[in-house]
Amino acid sequence: MTDQPKQGLARGLTNYGDRDFSIYLRRSFASSMGYSQEVLKKPIVGIANSFSGFNSCHRHFPELLEAVKRGVLLGGGLPVEFPTISLGEVYLSPTSLKFRNLMSMDTEEMIRAQPMDAVVLMGGCDKTVPAQLMGAASADLPAVQLVAGPMMTSRHGEERLGACTDCRRFWGKYRAKEVSAQEINQIEGRLATTAGTCAVMGTASTMACIAETLGMSLPGTAAIPAVHADRLRAGEASGLAAARMISNPIRPSQIITAKSVENAMRVLLALGGSTNAVIHLTAVAGRLGIPVSLERLNALSDTTPVLVNLKPAGSDYMEDFFHAGGMGAVLRELKPLLHLDTISVTGETLGDRLEVDLGYVDHRIISRASEPLEPQGGLVALFGNLAPRGAILKRAAADKNLFEKEGRAVVFNSLEDLANRVDDPDLEITADDFMVLQNAGPKSASGMPEAGYLPIPKKLSETGVKDMVRISDARMSGTAFGTIVLHIAPESAAGGPLALVRTGDRICLSVKEKRIELLVDDAELERRRAAWKPGIVPPEERRGYDRLYATEVLQADEGCDFGFLQSVVGHAGSAKEAEK
Ligand code: FES
């Protein structure tokens, strides 16, 4: 029995001190599920299924799972589904980002601990795809990412609606009294009407496109709508591809390389994609020891055109992007800027992929590189004494009139303070002021929520103000828009300069110079620093995951991963260990 191939059920045995007994016991328990002896000899493709009743974006996963299983069987493998944590963006408190690393640990450890030869990762909603990519990168077992696909749009009167840029747009109108309570209630039922992820180029869609660009998803699959029959075919093809990788293993560490990460950054910039993706890509790359610097992001941004006209930066939706040619069309336009020798889960190089003629491309939605929507990338990193380690601005979704501006700071020292005062009629604020939110970064009590899209104070929105400069260490939903400076590092809860800003201070923003400066002299800043106290509960007074998170979470420029999860030179914990 000891010369059984170390694949399938024979991998990574439970340790009873007797290897033959371990495999005997495992087989007998697996037999209880009705598998024949013949089936139990097959290699196994695990299917990490993040279906959950708390994740409406994944509600079609039961049907998609059957398609994946069909593909695995076609490829001669045994499909075995296993559950992992799921992160439904709008159901988690204080914010889903806090649990991304937990899901990545769950995914990594279950891939490594259970007997599988390859894995299909079924995810989609914002944090699930980065969590799965992080876990798979660390486990380093052949893996195929299969995303949920975007929702379809709906209608409200003559308007097309799609979660969740339109959620914010109509909520803003309601706050400005342009939409009645009755109408906003009607709209509530029309924003998210099918299975799938948000219908715009938000975080979920951006990460789906990044997964495809990295090579971790099958070519052409990122943008297929969740309810389209092609999504099921993508599921089948993903299962088949994973089964094929068993005889020809390609590990995530061969796919996610410095070159493919740089390609992903180019694509992020060309999409006008989500600011969150900078954090997630940094975290995924960090699992393999690949640095992602904001200075490099700026250098790439200067030479990468914005090509995709989707909300929130543009006007259309993911289903339009799919029909317009999807990622294949974007990659072809970017071809001269990309590293073409990267490989995907198919083993094919990006260069080979782009040799194949795509057919029709709708250039109203995916511009030619020679006629871009914007000559420079959708994101820019800002530096200065207010953000020594950087901050992010999504310039593609911001008001250019606010790019070169000095303003008076109006400071809110927490989310609670913001909620209590933002609509106070006595709040002293004008449209020319800069709204500043403190204590909303990764180490804060709020866990870096998507609160950087500070609401325009009602007294201003009712007069027609649509955008203001807003500055914080928080994140912003990929579906949001505005002149919003995010991810300031180091954050205020860690004693970063943002903690020292006071109402009335002057702040200078220059997108052209990529700078954000607090115009307060150094001596005054030192006085404020000496009086500063961290306003957070220290880790030793917390317990459980909250304590682990508070102790280990890194700053935004490091991807908000846990330090101990990042790549370690000589690390010996990969899935390769299970083959021994
Ligand atoms: Fe799931 Fe937007 S809420 S992708």
Side-chain angles (χ1 to χ4, degrees):
M1 292 177 90
T2 48
D3 58 358
Q4 292 290 330
K6 294 181 183 90
Q7 68 170 23
L9 280 188
R11 290 174 64 99
L13 291 173
T14 315
N15 195 350
Y16 297 110
D18 178 343
R19 185 180 157 76
D20 289 346
F21 176 68
S22 295
I23 186 66
Y24 172 77
L25 196 69
R26 182 175 283 176
R27 283 221 179 92
S28 58
F29 275 81
S31 297
S32 79
M33 292 187 274
Y35 292 123
S36 66
Q37 287 291 309
E38 205 52 42
V39 165
L40 293 180
K41 288 181 192 152
K42 298 261 183 213
I44 293 174
V45 175
I47 306 170
N49 185 3
S50 56
F51 174 80
S52 162
F54 286 111
N55 196 334
S56 36
C57 302
H58 295 186
R59 75 170 157 89
H60 58 312
F61 274 15
E63 190 184 22
L64 189 58
L65 174 67
E66 291 311 309
V68 178
K69 287 182 174 174
R70 197 163 63 234
V72 174
L73 290 169
L74 272 173
L78 171 61
V80 181
E81 169 209 2
F82 62 99
T84 69
I85 295 170
S86 189
L87 304 176
E89 183 63 25
V90 299
Y91 303 95
L92 287 154
S93 175
T95 176
S96 62
L97 180 67
K98 182 166 180 180
F99 305 102
R100 182 202 61 182
N101 297 348
L102 184 64
M103 182 175 175
S104 81
M105 291 165 73
D106 178 4
T107 306
E108 174 186 347
E109 298 304 337
M110 288 304 101
I111 290 173
R112 185 183 295 122
Q114 299 176 129
M116 64 191 79
D117 302 285
V119 63
V120 176
L121 308 159
M122 293 179 63
C125 193
D126 287 16
K127 310 303 175 294
T128 59
V129 169
Q132 290 183 327
L133 291 174
M134 290 158 73
S138 294
D140 210 21
L141 189 78
V144 179
Q145 180 76 58
L146 173 64
V147 298
M151 289 179 210
M152 303 299 282
T153 54
S154 178
R155 291 282 189 283
H156 172 66
E158 292 181 354
E159 282 211 65
R160 223 174 149 197
L161 295 186
C164 220
T165 302
D166 296 325
C167 316
R168 294 170 203 287
R169 188 164 61 85
F170 275 99
W171 191 252
K173 287 188 176 195
Y174 171 61
R175 281 177 56 81
K177 294 201 167 90
E178 292 169 25
V179 160
S180 68
Q182 189 192 9
E183 190 176 3
I184 198 78
N185 284 341
Q186 277 177 352
I187 292 167
E188 181 182 294
R190 294 170 183 169
L191 288 164
T193 54
T194 74
T197 49
C198 285
V200 298
M201 190 53 81
T203 305
S205 296
T206 306
M207 288 309 301
C209 294
I210 282 180
E212 185 176 326
T213 306
L214 286 171
M216 290 296 294
S217 298
L218 287 178
T221 57
I224 304 168
V227 296
H228 197 295
D230 280 357
R231 175 56 56 198
L232 296 174
R233 282 185 274 276
E236 184 183 296
S238 298
L240 179 60
R244 284 185 174 153
M245 280 207 287
I246 294 169
S247 56
N248 181 25
I250 306 172
R251 296 180 184 278
S253 57
Q254 295 167 274
I255 296 171
I256 303 172
T257 61
K259 287 183 179 179
S260 68
V261 168
E262 192 154 300
N263 286 347
M265 289 165 80
R266 289 272 191 203
V267 163
L268 166 62
L269 293 159
L271 295 174
S274 167
T275 47
N276 281 313
V278 180
I279 292 179
H280 298 322
L281 185 59
T282 303
V284 172
R287 293 299 182 94
L288 293 166
I290 302 164
V292 172
S293 85
L294 295 179
E295 287 85 355
R296 185 66 186 147
L297 181 81
N298 274 348
L300 295 176
S301 195
D302 284 345
T303 54
T304 306
V306 178
L307 301 178
V308 176
N309 187 19
L310 296 193
K311 291 187 179 203
S315 59
D316 291 298
Y317 294 89
M318 282 301 289
E319 65 194 70
D320 307 310
F321 180 57
F322 170 62
H323 292 294
M327 280 305 300
V330 174
L331 292 167
R332 185 139 331 130
E333 293 297 331
L334 291 176
K335 191 174 174 183
L337 300 174
L338 298 175
H339 302 286
L340 299 177
D341 54 347
T342 59
I343 56 167
S344 76
V345 289
T346 63
E348 182 186 48
T349 67
L350 180 59
D352 288 343
R353 174 188 172 179
L354 298 183
E355 287 300 311
V356 179
D357 183 23
L358 192 68
Y360 173 73
V361 174
D362 185 344
H363 287 295
R364 289 170 303 177
I365 290 165
I366 302 168
S367 299
R368 291 184 176 84
S370 54
E371 297 169 85
L373 295 170
E374 299 284 345
Q376 293 181 317
L379 304 178
V380 63
L382 306 171
F383 297 89
N385 71 347
L386 191 52
R389 282 165 54 182
I392 293 285
L393 172 76
K394 186 172 183 174
R395 60 181 161 190
D399 180 351
K400 289 186 176 57
N401 295 318
L402 301 177
F403 281 7
E404 309 300 320
K405 188 171 165 64
E406 186 185 311
R408 183 187 75 110
V410 175
V411 178
F412 302 90
N413 63 21
S414 66
L415 283 163
E416 201 183 4
D417 183 34
L418 174 70
N420 288 340
R421 292 197 296 125
V422 70
D423 290 335
D424 183 341
D426 295 330
L427 180 69
E428 281 188 29
I429 192 162
T430 72
D432 285 327
D433 291 336
F434 288 8
M435 298 174 75
V436 175
L437 173 65
Q438 298 167 325
N439 295 310
K443 282 190 181 292
S444 72
S446 56
M448 204 179 186
E450 292 185 340
Y453 178 73
L454 276 68
I456 305 287
K458 252 189 186 159
K459 63 192 266 187
L460 299 179
S461 66
E462 286 174 5
T463 65
V465 176
K466 300 271 188 257
D467 197 6
M468 291 172 66
V469 175
R470 288 161 273 180
I471 299 169
S472 74
D473 45 12
R475 294 176 299 120
M476 172 174 87
S477 166
T479 61
F481 45 87
T483 310
I484 297 176
V485 178
L486 302 153
H487 306 182
I488 284 192
E491 65 174 299
S492 46
L498 184 66
L500 309 181
V501 185
R502 300 287 177 266
T503 293
D505 289 349
R506 306 291 296 176
I507 295 175
C508 180
L509 170 69
S510 172
V511 176
K512 194 167 65 186
E513 293 179 17
K514 303 183 176 84
R515 300 211 60 80
I516 185 153
E517 301 284 353
L518 177 60
L519 304 177
V520 174
D521 67 58
D522 290 347
E524 173 59 18
L525 288 179
E526 275 318 303
R527 266 195 297 281
R528 292 181 190 178
R529 185 176 299 288
W532 177 81
K533 289 191 179 58
I536 49 175
V537 179
E540 54 277 16
E541 292 175 26
R542 306 183 188 196
R543 60 162 298 285
Y545 180 71
D546 185 47
R547 180 171 179 152
L548 179 71
Y549 179 87
T551 309
E552 297 291 341
V553 72
L554 300 172
Q555 292 294 288
D557 61 327
E558 298 164 310
C560 299
D561 202 359
F562 294 159
F564 68 89
L565 291 175
Q566 291 191 309
S567 168
V568 173
V569 178
H571 158 67
S574 81
K576 291 174 202 141
E577 292 297 292
E579 293 158 21
K580 290 179 185 164

